[in-house]
Amino acid sequence: MVKYGETGIKHTFDIEAGIDHYTSASSDMIDLSANSSASSSDNRFYPSLTYLRENEAKGRTLGIGVSSSTEFDYQSFGGNISFSQKTKDRNGEFTAKFQTFIDQLKLIEPVELRTSRGEGYGSANRNTFAGTLSYSQMVNKNLQVMLVGDVISQNGYLSLPFHRVYFADGSVHQEKMPDTRLKIPLGIRASYFLGDNVIIRAYYRYYTDDWSLRAHTADLEIPVKLTQALSLSPFYRYYTQTGTKYFKPYGEHTAADEYYTSNYDLSKFDSSFFGMGMKFTPLNGIFGLKHWNTLEIRYGHYTRTTNMTSDIISINIKYK
């Protein structure tokens, strides 16, 4: 919803709501009891409200927003404030944003470690504070570049309570990680318009944190406009990380370790994700339906050096 005030100030209210449903064979292994399938699926509901106040004459925008996310074992409340200022020639823009998320988790232990059944789950808090600085610049009519940096601080319960860790002596334990984490990602994004029908989009990010995890991400996508209504977008993303100092594989942790995890998302690995997107935007709408103006289908194949592969198909339809 957009409204202009008497002084020419542009007021924008953005209301969104999302609902997800998923099923997962791997999460069903949280509870190994013979007749239980409670952990095999879940629903997530996440509404948000954002208000933007833009002074178009000065190129200045102030924003504030709130959000929440609810699922069976997780409740999150978020808030954010932002400030953007365009340069005098309108070719550059500086943005500063601060976000906070106040979360509460249900501590769902592996079933064999639960000391009592029927008394419900314990709970713990997790807080996240994130500051972002970015600057975008139109270098010339063909090239646009953005620099972005974040500082993210987390405190509270940062483990995954249902993750098992098997020690060298054969005993099973609940994952244990530090209760603070500082993350610093730095990125650069560029878009180059190669004529009227081809765009080259590139992205690089370096990530580091105080859990000794270091990562590099490189992403390339090349949308090609075949007709006024149809475009194809081949893409490729490469990712590599060193792994956190608290990770050891199955059966290698000992009682001497203060913190321990066998979650391979925190291990050393490389991954590749490549595929193709197709975007269809007919002038008269999809199948002649005027307000259904965009259909997008994307397919991607994901491989990881921890013996994981995945095929992903996404379908997006836009109503306007």
Side-chain angles (χ1 to χ4, degrees), residues 49-197:
L49 172 64
T50 303
Y51 166 69
L52 297 176
R53 183 184 188 276
E54 182 179 359
N55 186 324
E56 294 180 330
K58 296 182 178 180
R60 183 177 302 157
T61 303
L62 298 174
I64 186 170
V66 292
S67 63
S68 72
S69 179
T70 304
E71 51 193 300
F72 172 71
D73 61 342
Y74 206 85
Q75 176 66 64
S76 177
F77 295 100
N80 67 80
I81 56 174
S82 63
F83 168 81
S84 296
Q85 177 65 60
K86 294 180 180 178
T87 58
K88 290 184 179 180
D89 61 7
R90 297 298 195 267
N91 287 330
E93 184 174 27
F94 168 81
T95 300
K97 187 173 185 178
F98 176 77
Q99 301 177 85
T100 182
F101 299 95
I102 308 302
D103 306 335
Q104 187 171 61
L105 301 80
K106 289 183 180 179
L107 300 181
I108 304 176
E109 298 175 319
V111 62
E112 64 270 37
L113 297 180
R114 298 175 191 174
T115 55
S116 62
R117 304 301 300 272
E119 296 183 5
Y121 302 108
S123 64
N125 296 323
R126 174 185 299 164
N127 303 316
T128 302
F129 306 95
T132 302
L133 296 177
S134 66
Y135 180 76
S136 63
Q137 177 69 42
M138 292 290 299
V139 179
N140 54 48
K141 66 178 184 179
N142 299 106
L143 179 62
Q144 180 178 0
V145 176
M146 172 182 278
L147 302 173
V148 60
D150 298 279
V151 176
I152 304 162
S153 175
Q154 291 183 293
N155 64 72
Y157 191 89
L158 304 183
S159 307
L160 290 174
F162 46 78
H163 269 210
R164 298 172 176 86
V165 180
Y166 291 88
F167 279 20
D169 61 5
S171 60
V172 61
H173 300 259
Q174 187 180 22
E175 178 183 275
K176 182 182 179 183
M177 302 297 280
D179 58 6
T180 62
R181 191 177 188 182
L182 181 66
K183 308 175 182 180
I184 302 178
L186 303 171
I188 179 170
R189 187 184 302 276
S191 295
Y192 187 81
F193 295 83
L194 194 65
D196 295 332
N197 299 320

Side-chain angles (χ1 to χ4, degrees), residues 28 31 33-41:
D28 198 29
D31 194 332
S33 32
N35 298 319
S36 175
S37 59
S39 58
S40 64
S41 65

Side-chain angles (χ1 to χ4, degrees), residues 22-32 39-40 162-164:
Y22 78 86
T23 61
S24 171
S26 58
S27 66
D28 198 29
M29 298 301 291
I30 294 170
D31 194 332
L32 298 177
S39 58
S40 64
F162 46 78
H163 269 210
R164 298 172 176 86

